[in-house]
Amino acid sequence: TSEITVLEVPVVSLVGFEPVCANVASFPLIGGSPAGGTYSGTGVVGSTFNPALAGAGTFVLTYTYTNQSGCTDFATTEVTVHPAPVV
């Protein structure tokens, strides 16, 4: 016989983001839970989102978290970037 240990997978969540215009300043990404994970996706630099870098469109952002046991899970949400108005 042998023993198998099943490790708990973290429960990961990410709140949605309001649409933004392409000409707004970079802003910190918050809302990923549990704290201590990493963000990724188009326009993501570290833990900030840069709408100008992403450009206009709808993009999937991912929050990935690894617990102390080494188990990883992720959550995704979308952010929409509207083109800046031409004046």
Side-chain angles (χ1 to χ4, degrees):
T1 64
S2 65
E3 194 173 293
I4 297 174
T5 301
V6 177
L7 302 174
E8 187 175 332
V9 175
V11 176
V12 179
S13 63
L14 178 60
V15 297
F17 296 99
E18 294 292 321
V20 296
C21 290
N23 60 348
V24 301
S26 296
F27 57 89
L29 293 169
I30 57 172
S33 178
T38 58
Y39 294 91
S40 60
T42 302
V44 175
V45 178
S47 60
T48 63
F49 181 73
N50 183 331
L53 180 62
T58 299
F59 306 98
V60 175
L61 301 184
T62 302
Y63 181 73
T64 305
Y65 177 80
T66 302
N67 65 17
Q68 292 177 342
S69 300
C71 297
T72 301
D73 203 2
F74 66 93
T76 61
T77 191
E78 293 182 341
V79 61
T80 299
V81 178
H82 297 293
V86 177
V87 287

Coordinates of all heavy atoms in Angstrom, one line a residue:
T1 N 0.8 -1.2 0.0 CA 0.0 0.0 0.0 C 0.9 1.2 0.0 O 2.1 1.2 0.3 CB -0.9 0.0 1.2 OG1 -0.1 0.2 2.4 CG2 -1.8 -1.2 1.3
S2 N 0.3 2.3 -0.4 CA 1.0 3.6 -0.3 C 0.0 4.7 0.1 O -1.2 4.5 0.0 CB 1.6 4.0 -1.7 OG 0.7 4.1 -2.6
E3 N 0.5 5.8 0.6 CA -0.3 6.9 1.0 C -0.2 8.0 0.1 O 0.9 8.3 -0.4 CB 0.2 7.3 2.4 CG -0.7 8.2 3.1 CD -0.2 8.5 4.6 OE1 -0.2 7.6 5.4 OE2 0.2 9.6 4.8
I4 N -1.3 8.6 -0.2 CA -1.4 9.8 -1.1 C -1.9 11.0 -0.3 O -3.0 10.9 0.3 CB -2.3 9.5 -2.3 CG1 -1.7 8.4 -3.2 CG2 -2.5 10.8 -3.2 CD1 -2.7 7.9 -4.3
T5 N -1.2 12.1 -0.4 CA -1.7 13.3 0.2 C -2.3 14.2 -0.9 O -1.6 14.6 -1.9 CB -0.6 14.0 0.9 OG1 0.0 13.1 1.9 CG2 -1.1 15.3 1.6
V6 N -3.5 14.6 -0.7 CA -4.1 15.5 -1.7 C -4.1 16.9 -1.1 O -4.6 17.2 0.0 CB -5.6 15.1 -2.0 CG1 -6.3 16.2 -2.9 CG2 -5.7 13.7 -2.5
L7 N -3.4 17.8 -1.8 CA -3.3 19.2 -1.3 C -4.4 20.1 -1.8 O -5.0 19.9 -2.9 CB -1.9 19.8 -1.8 CG -0.7 19.0 -1.4 CD1 0.6 19.5 -2.1 CD2 -0.5 19.0 0.1
E8 N -4.7 21.0 -0.9 CA -5.9 21.9 -1.2 C -5.5 23.0 -2.3 O -4.4 23.6 -2.2 CB -6.3 22.6 0.0 CG -7.6 23.5 -0.1 CD -8.0 24.1 1.2 OE1 -7.8 23.5 2.2 OE2 -8.6 25.1 1.1
V9 N -6.3 23.1 -3.3 CA -6.1 24.1 -4.3 C -6.7 25.4 -3.8 O -7.8 25.5 -3.2 CB -6.8 23.7 -5.6 CG1 -6.7 24.8 -6.7 CG2 -6.3 22.4 -6.2
P10 N -6.0 26.6 -4.0 CA -6.5 27.8 -3.4 C -7.7 28.3 -4.2 O -7.9 28.0 -5.4 CB -5.3 28.8 -3.7 CG -4.5 28.2 -4.8 CD -4.7 26.7 -4.6
V11 N -8.6 29.0 -3.5 CA -9.8 29.6 -4.1 C -9.4 31.0 -4.5 O -9.1 31.8 -3.7 CB -11.0 29.6 -3.2 CG1 -12.2 30.3 -3.8 CG2 -11.3 28.2 -2.7
V12 N -9.3 31.2 -5.8 CA -8.8 32.5 -6.4 C -10.0 33.3 -7.0 O -10.8 32.7 -7.7 CB -7.7 32.3 -7.4 CG1 -7.2 33.6 -8.0 CG2 -6.6 31.5 -6.7
S13 N -10.0 34.6 -6.8 CA -11.1 35.4 -7.4 C -10.5 36.7 -7.9 O -9.4 37.1 -7.4 CB -12.2 35.6 -6.4 OG -11.8 36.4 -5.3
L14 N -11.1 37.3 -8.8 CA -10.7 38.6 -9.3 C -11.9 39.4 -9.7 O -12.8 39.0 -10.5 CB -9.8 38.4 -10.6 CG -9.3 39.7 -11.3 CD1 -8.5 40.6 -10.3 CD2 -8.5 39.3 -12.5
V15 N -12.1 40.6 -9.1 CA -13.2 41.5 -9.4 C -13.1 42.1 -10.7 O -12.0 42.2 -11.2 CB -13.4 42.6 -8.3 CG1 -13.7 42.0 -6.9 CG2 -12.3 43.5 -8.2
G16 N -14.2 42.5 -11.3 CA -14.2 43.1 -12.6 C -13.7 44.5 -12.6 O -13.6 45.1 -11.5
F17 N -13.3 45.0 -13.8 CA -12.8 46.4 -13.9 C -13.8 47.2 -14.7 O -14.3 46.7 -15.7 CB -11.4 46.4 -14.5 CG -10.4 45.7 -13.7 CD1 -10.0 44.4 -14.0 CD2 -9.8 46.3 -12.6 CE1 -9.1 43.7 -13.2 CE2 -8.8 45.7 -11.9 CZ -8.5 44.4 -12.2
E18 N -13.9 48.5 -14.4 CA -14.8 49.4 -15.1 C -14.0 49.7 -16.4 O -12.8 49.7 -16.5 CB -15.0 50.7 -14.3 CG -15.8 50.5 -13.1 CD -17.3 50.1 -13.4 OE1 -17.8 50.7 -14.4 OE2 -17.8 49.3 -12.6
P19 N -14.8 50.0 -17.5 CA -14.2 50.4 -18.8 C -13.4 51.7 -18.5 O -13.7 52.5 -17.7 CB -15.3 50.7 -19.7 CG -16.5 49.9 -19.1 CD -16.2 49.9 -17.6
V20 N -12.3 51.9 -19.3 CA -11.4 53.1 -19.2 C -11.2 53.6 -20.6 O -11.3 52.9 -21.6 CB -10.1 52.8 -18.5 CG1 -10.4 52.4 -17.0 CG2 -9.3 51.7 -19.2
C21 N -10.7 54.9 -20.7 CA -10.3 55.4 -21.9 C -8.8 55.2 -22.1 O -8.0 55.1 -21.1 CB -10.6 56.9 -22.0 SG -12.3 57.3 -22.1
A22 N -8.3 55.1 -23.3 CA -6.9 54.8 -23.6 C -6.0 55.9 -23.2 O -4.8 55.6 -23.0 CB -6.8 54.6 -25.1
N23 N -6.5 57.1 -22.9 CA -5.6 58.2 -22.5 C -5.5 58.4 -21.0 O -4.9 59.4 -20.5 CB -6.0 59.5 -23.2 CG -7.4 59.9 -22.9 OD1 -8.2 59.2 -22.3 ND2 -7.7 61.2 -23.3
V24 N -6.1 57.5 -20.2 CA -6.0 57.6 -18.7 C -4.6 57.1 -18.3 O -4.0 56.2 -18.9 CB -7.1 57.0 -17.9 CG1 -8.5 57.6 -18.3 CG2 -7.1 55.5 -18.1
A25 N -4.1 57.5 -17.1 CA -2.9 57.1 -16.6 C -3.0 55.6 -16.2 O -4.0 55.1 -15.9 CB -2.5 57.9 -15.4
S26 N -1.8 55.0 -16.1 CA -1.7 53.6 -15.6 C -2.3 53.6 -14.2 O -2.2 54.6 -13.4 CB -0.3 53.1 -15.5 OG 0.3 53.0 -16.8
F27 N -2.9 52.5 -13.8 CA -3.5 52.4 -12.5 C -3.2 51.0 -11.8 O -3.0 50.0 -12.6 CB -5.0 52.7 -12.5 CG -5.8 51.8 -13.4 CD1 -6.3 50.6 -12.9 CD2 -6.0 52.2 -14.7 CE1 -7.0 49.8 -13.8 CE2 -6.8 51.4 -15.5 CZ -7.3 50.2 -15.1
P28 N -3.1 51.0 -10.5 CA -2.8 49.7 -9.9 C -3.9 48.7 -10.0 O -5.1 49.1 -9.9 CB -2.6 50.1 -8.4 CG -3.2 51.4 -8.2 CD -3.3 52.1 -9.6
L29 N -3.6 47.5 -10.2 CA -4.6 46.4 -10.3 C -4.8 45.9 -8.9 O -3.9 45.5 -8.2 CB -4.1 45.3 -11.2 CG -4.0 45.6 -12.7 CD1 -3.2 44.5 -13.4 CD2 -5.3 45.9 -13.3
I30 N -6.1 45.9 -8.5 CA -6.5 45.4 -7.2 C -7.7 44.5 -7.4 O -8.3 44.5 -8.4 CB -6.8 46.6 -6.2 CG1 -7.9 47.5 -6.7 CG2 -5.6 47.4 -5.9 CD1 -8.4 48.5 -5.8
G31 N -8.0 43.8 -6.3 CA -9.2 42.9 -6.4 C -8.9 41.5 -6.6 O -9.8 40.6 -6.6
G32 N -7.6 41.1 -6.7 CA -7.2 39.7 -6.8 C -7.2 39.1 -5.4 O -6.7 39.8 -4.5
S33 N -7.7 38.0 -5.2 CA -7.8 37.4 -3.8 C -7.5 35.9 -4.0 O -7.9 35.2 -4.9 CB -9.1 37.6 -3.2 OG -9.2 37.0 -1.9
P34 N -6.7 35.3 -3.0 CA -6.0 35.9 -1.9 C -4.9 36.8 -2.3 O -4.4 36.7 -3.4 CB -5.5 34.7 -1.1 CG -5.7 33.5 -1.9 CD -6.5 33.9 -3.1
A35 N -4.5 37.7 -1.4 CA -3.4 38.7 -1.7 C -2.1 37.9 -1.9 O -1.9 36.8 -1.4 CB -3.2 39.6 -0.5
G36 N -1.2 38.5 -2.7 CA 0.1 37.9 -3.0 C 0.3 37.3 -4.3 O 1.3 36.7 -4.6
G37 N -0.8 37.3 -5.2 CA -0.7 36.7 -6.5 C -0.1 37.7 -7.5 O 0.4 38.8 -7.2
T38 N -0.1 37.3 -8.8 CA 0.4 38.1 -9.8 C -0.6 38.3 -10.9 O -1.5 37.4 -11.1 CB 1.7 37.4 -10.5 OG1 1.3 36.1 -11.0 CG2 2.8 37.3 -9.5
Y39 N -0.5 39.5 -11.5 CA -1.4 39.8 -12.6 C -0.7 39.7 -14.0 O 0.5 39.9 -14.0 CB -1.9 41.3 -12.5 CG -2.8 41.5 -11.3 CD1 -2.2 41.9 -10.1 CD2 -4.1 41.4 -11.3 CE1 -3.0 42.2 -9.0 CE2 -4.9 41.6 -10.2 CZ -4.3 42.0 -9.0 OH -5.1 42.3 -7.9
S40 N -1.5 39.3 -15.0 CA -0.9 39.2 -16.3 C -1.9 39.5 -17.4 O -3.1 39.5 -17.1 CB -0.3 37.8 -16.6 OG -1.3 36.8 -16.5
G41 N -1.5 39.8 -18.6 CA -2.4 40.1 -19.7 C -1.9 41.3 -20.5 O -0.9 42.0 -20.1
T42 N -2.6 41.6 -21.6 CA -2.2 42.8 -22.4 C -2.3 44.1 -21.6 O -3.4 44.3 -21.0 CB -3.1 42.8 -23.6 OG1 -3.0 41.6 -24.3 CG2 -2.8 44.0 -24.5
G43 N -1.3 44.9 -21.6 CA -1.3 46.1 -20.9 C -0.9 46.1 -19.5 O -0.8 47.1 -18.8
V44 N -0.6 44.9 -19.0 CA -0.2 44.7 -17.6 C 1.3 44.8 -17.5 O 2.1 44.2 -18.2 CB -0.7 43.3 -17.0 CG1 -0.1 43.2 -15.6 CG2 -2.2 43.2 -17.0
V45 N 1.8 45.7 -16.6 CA 3.2 45.9 -16.3 C 3.3 45.8 -14.8 O 2.9 46.6 -14.0 CB 3.7 47.2 -16.8 CG1 5.2 47.4 -16.4 CG2 3.5 47.4 -18.3
G46 N 3.9 44.7 -14.3 CA 4.0 44.4 -12.9 C 2.6 44.2 -12.3 O 1.9 43.3 -12.7
S47 N 2.2 45.1 -11.4 CA 0.8 45.0 -10.9 C 0.0 46.3 -11.3 O -0.9 46.7 -10.5 CB 0.8 44.8 -9.4 OG 1.5 45.9 -8.8
T48 N 0.3 46.9 -12.4 CA -0.5 48.0 -12.9 C -1.0 47.7 -14.3 O -0.5 46.8 -15.0 CB 0.4 49.3 -13.0 OG1 1.4 49.1 -13.9 CG2 0.9 49.7 -11.6
F49 N -2.0 48.4 -14.7 CA -2.6 48.3 -16.0 C -2.4 49.6 -16.8 O -2.7 50.7 -16.2 CB -4.1 48.0 -16.0 CG -4.7 47.8 -17.4 CD1 -4.4 46.7 -18.2 CD2 -5.5 48.8 -17.9 CE1 -4.9 46.6 -19.4 CE2 -6.1 48.7 -19.2 CZ -5.8 47.6 -19.9
N50 N -1.8 49.5 -17.9 CA -1.5 50.7 -18.7 C -2.4 50.7 -20.0 O -2.2 50.0 -20.9 CB 0.0 50.7 -19.2 CG 0.4 51.9 -19.9 OD1 -0.5 52.5 -20.6 ND2 1.6 52.3 -19.9
P51 N -3.5 51.5 -19.9 CA -4.5 51.5 -21.1 C -3.8 51.9 -22.4 O -4.2 51.4 -23.4 CB -5.5 52.5 -20.6 CG -5.4 52.6 -19.2 CD -4.0 52.4 -18.8
A52 N -2.9 52.9 -22.3 CA -2.2 53.3 -23.6 C -1.4 52.2 -24.2 O -1.4 52.0 -25.4 CB -1.3 54.5 -23.3
L53 N -0.8 51.4 -23.4 CA 0.0 50.3 -23.9 C -0.9 49.2 -24.4 O -0.6 48.6 -25.5 CB 0.8 49.7 -22.7 CG 1.7 48.5 -23.0 CD1 2.8 48.8 -24.1 CD2 2.4 48.0 -21.8
A54 N -2.0 49.0 -23.8 CA -3.0 48.0 -24.3 C -3.6 48.4 -25.6 O -3.8 47.6 -26.5 CB -4.1 47.7 -23.2
G55 N -4.0 49.7 -25.7 CA -4.7 50.1 -26.9 C -6.2 49.9 -26.7 O -6.7 49.3 -25.7
A56 N -7.0 50.3 -27.7 CA -8.4 50.2 -27.6 C -8.8 48.7 -27.8 O -8.2 48.0 -28.6 CB -9.1 51.0 -28.6
G57 N -9.8 48.2 -27.1 CA -10.3 46.9 -27.2 C -10.7 46.3 -25.9 O -10.7 47.0 -24.8
T58 N -11.0 45.0 -25.9 CA -11.4 44.3 -24.6 C -10.3 43.2 -24.4 O -10.0 42.5 -25.3 CB -12.8 43.7 -24.7 OG1 -13.7 44.8 -24.9 CG2 -13.2 42.9 -23.5
F59 N -9.8 43.2 -23.2 CA -8.7 42.3 -22.9 C -8.9 41.5 -21.7 O -9.6 41.9 -20.7 CB -7.4 43.2 -22.7 CG -7.1 44.1 -23.8 CD1 -7.5 45.4 -23.7 CD2 -6.5 43.7 -25.0 CE1 -7.3 46.3 -24.8 CE2 -6.3 44.5 -26.0 CZ -6.6 45.8 -25.9
V60 N -8.4 40.3 -21.7 CA -8.6 39.4 -20.6 C -7.4 39.6 -19.6 O -6.2 39.6 -20.1 CB -8.6 37.9 -21.0 CG1 -8.6 37.0 -19.8 CG2 -9.8 37.6 -21.9
L61 N -7.7 39.9 -18.4 CA -6.6 40.0 -17.4 C -6.7 38.7 -16.4 O -7.8 38.3 -16.1 CB -6.8 41.2 -16.5 CG -6.8 42.6 -17.3 CD1 -6.8 43.7 -16.3 CD2 -5.5 42.7 -18.2
T62 N -5.6 38.2 -16.0 CA -5.5 37.0 -15.2 C -4.8 37.3 -13.9 O -3.8 38.0 -13.9 CB -4.7 35.9 -16.0 OG1 -5.4 35.7 -17.2 CG2 -4.7 34.6 -15.2
Y63 N -5.4 36.8 -12.8 CA -4.7 36.8 -11.5 C -4.4 35.4 -11.1 O -5.3 34.5 -11.1 CB -5.7 37.5 -10.5 CG -5.1 37.6 -9.1 CD1 -4.1 38.6 -8.9 CD2 -5.5 36.8 -8.1 CE1 -3.5 38.7 -7.6 CE2 -4.9 36.9 -6.8 CZ -4.0 37.8 -6.6 OH -3.4 38.0 -5.3
T64 N -3.1 35.1 -10.9 CA -2.7 33.8 -10.5 C -2.1 33.8 -9.1 O -1.3 34.7 -8.7 CB -1.6 33.4 -11.5 OG1 -2.1 33.4 -12.8 CG2 -1.1 31.9 -11.2
Y65 N -2.5 32.8 -8.3 CA -2.0 32.7 -6.9 C -1.5 31.3 -6.7 O -2.1 30.3 -7.1 CB -3.1 33.0 -6.0 CG -2.8 32.9 -4.5 CD1 -2.0 33.9 -3.9 CD2 -3.1 31.7 -3.8 CE1 -1.7 33.7 -2.5 CE2 -2.7 31.6 -2.5 CZ -2.0 32.6 -1.9 OH -1.6 32.4 -0.6
T66 N -0.4 31.2 -6.0 CA 0.2 29.9 -5.6 C 0.2 29.9 -4.0 O 0.8 30.8 -3.4 CB 1.6 29.7 -6.1 OG1 1.5 29.8 -7.6 CG2 2.2 28.3 -5.7
N67 N -0.4 28.8 -3.4 CA -0.4 28.8 -2.0 C 0.9 28.2 -1.4 O 1.8 27.8 -2.2 CB -1.6 28.1 -1.4 CG -1.7 26.6 -1.8 OD1 -0.7 26.0 -2.2 ND2 -2.8 26.0 -1.7
Q68 N 1.0 28.1 -0.1 CA 2.2 27.6 0.5 C 2.5 26.1 0.2 O 3.7 25.7 0.3 CB 2.1 27.7 2.1 CG 2.1 29.2 2.5 CD 1.9 29.3 4.0 OE1 1.5 28.3 4.7 NE2 2.3 30.4 4.6
S69 N 1.5 25.4 -0.2 CA 1.7 24.0 -0.6 C 2.2 23.8 -2.1 O 2.5 22.7 -2.5 CB 0.4 23.2 -0.5 OG 0.0 23.2 0.9
G70 N 2.3 25.0 -2.8 CA 2.7 24.9 -4.2 C 1.6 24.7 -5.2 O 1.8 24.5 -6.4
C71 N 0.3 24.7 -4.7 CA -0.8 24.6 -5.6 C -1.2 25.9 -6.2 O -1.2 26.9 -5.4 CB -2.0 24.0 -4.8 SG -1.7 22.3 -4.2
T72 N -1.5 25.9 -7.4 CA -1.8 27.2 -8.2 C -3.2 27.2 -8.8 O -3.6 26.1 -9.3 CB -0.7 27.4 -9.3 OG1 0.6 27.5 -8.7 CG2 -1.0 28.7 -10.0
D73 N -3.8 28.3 -8.8 CA -5.1 28.5 -9.5 C -5.1 29.9 -10.0 O -4.3 30.7 -9.6 CB -6.3 28.1 -8.6 CG -7.5 27.8 -9.5 OD1 -7.4 27.7 -10.7 OD2 -8.6 27.5 -8.9
F74 N -6.1 30.2 -10.8 CA -6.2 31.6 -11.4 C -7.6 32.0 -11.6 O -8.5 31.1 -11.6 CB -5.4 31.7 -12.7 CG -6.0 30.8 -13.8 CD1 -6.9 31.4 -14.7 CD2 -5.6 29.5 -13.9 CE1 -7.4 30.6 -15.7 CE2 -6.2 28.7 -15.0 CZ -7.1 29.3 -15.8
A75 N -7.8 33.3 -11.8 CA -9.1 33.8 -12.1 C -8.9 34.9 -13.2 O -7.9 35.5 -13.3 CB -9.8 34.5 -10.9
T76 N -9.9 35.0 -14.0 CA -9.8 36.0 -15.1 C -11.0 36.9 -15.1 O -12.1 36.6 -14.6 CB -9.7 35.3 -16.5 OG1 -10.9 34.6 -16.7 CG2 -8.5 34.4 -16.6
T77 N -10.8 38.1 -15.7 CA -11.9 39.1 -15.9 C -11.5 39.9 -17.1 O -10.3 39.8 -17.6 CB -12.1 40.0 -14.7 OG1 -13.3 40.7 -14.9 CG2 -11.0 40.9 -14.5
E78 N -12.4 40.7 -17.7 CA -12.1 41.5 -18.8 C -12.0 43.0 -18.4 O -12.7 43.4 -17.5 CB -13.1 41.3 -19.9 CG -13.1 39.9 -20.5 CD -14.2 39.8 -21.6 OE1 -15.1 40.6 -21.7 OE2 -14.0 38.8 -22.4
V79 N -11.2 43.7 -19.2 CA -11.2 45.2 -19.1 C -11.4 45.7 -20.5 O -10.7 45.2 -21.4 CB -9.9 45.7 -18.4 CG1 -8.7 45.3 -19.2 CG2 -10.0 47.2 -18.2
T80 N -12.2 46.7 -20.6 CA -12.4 47.4 -21.9 C -11.8 48.7 -21.9 O -11.9 49.5 -21.0 CB -13.9 47.5 -22.3 OG1 -14.5 46.2 -22.3 CG2 -14.2 48.2 -23.6
V81 N -11.0 49.0 -23.0 CA -10.3 50.3 -23.2 C -11.0 50.9 -24.4 O -10.9 50.4 -25.5 CB -8.8 50.1 -23.4 CG1 -8.2 51.4 -23.6 CG2 -8.2 49.3 -22.2
H82 N -11.6 52.1 -24.2 CA -12.2 52.8 -25.3 C -11.1 53.8 -25.9 O -10.2 54.3 -25.2 CB -13.3 53.7 -24.7 CG -14.5 52.9 -24.2 ND1 -15.3 52.1 -24.9 CD2 -14.9 52.8 -22.9 CE1 -16.1 51.5 -24.2 NE2 -16.0 51.9 -22.9
P83 N -11.2 54.0 -27.2 CA -10.2 54.9 -27.8 C -10.4 56.3 -27.2 O -11.5 56.7 -26.8 CB -10.6 54.9 -29.3 CG -11.9 54.2 -29.4 CD -12.2 53.5 -28.1
A84 N -9.3 57.0 -27.1 CA -9.4 58.4 -26.7 C -10.1 59.3 -27.7 O -9.9 59.1 -28.9 CB -8.0 59.0 -26.4
P85 N -10.9 60.3 -27.3 CA -11.5 61.1 -28.2 C -10.5 62.0 -29.0 O -9.5 62.4 -28.5 CB -12.5 62.0 -27.4 CG -11.9 61.9 -26.0 CD -11.2 60.6 -25.9
V86 N -10.9 62.3 -30.2 CA -10.0 63.2 -31.0 C -10.6 64.6 -30.9 O -11.8 64.7 -31.3 CB -10.0 62.7 -32.5 CG1 -9.2 63.7 -33.3 CG2 -9.4 61.3 -32.6
V87 N -9.8 65.5 -30.5 CA -10.4 66.9 -30.3 C -9.6 67.8 -31.2 O -8.5 67.6 -31.6 CB -10.3 67.4 -28.9 CG1 -11.4 66.7 -28.1 CG2 -9.0 67.2 -28.3

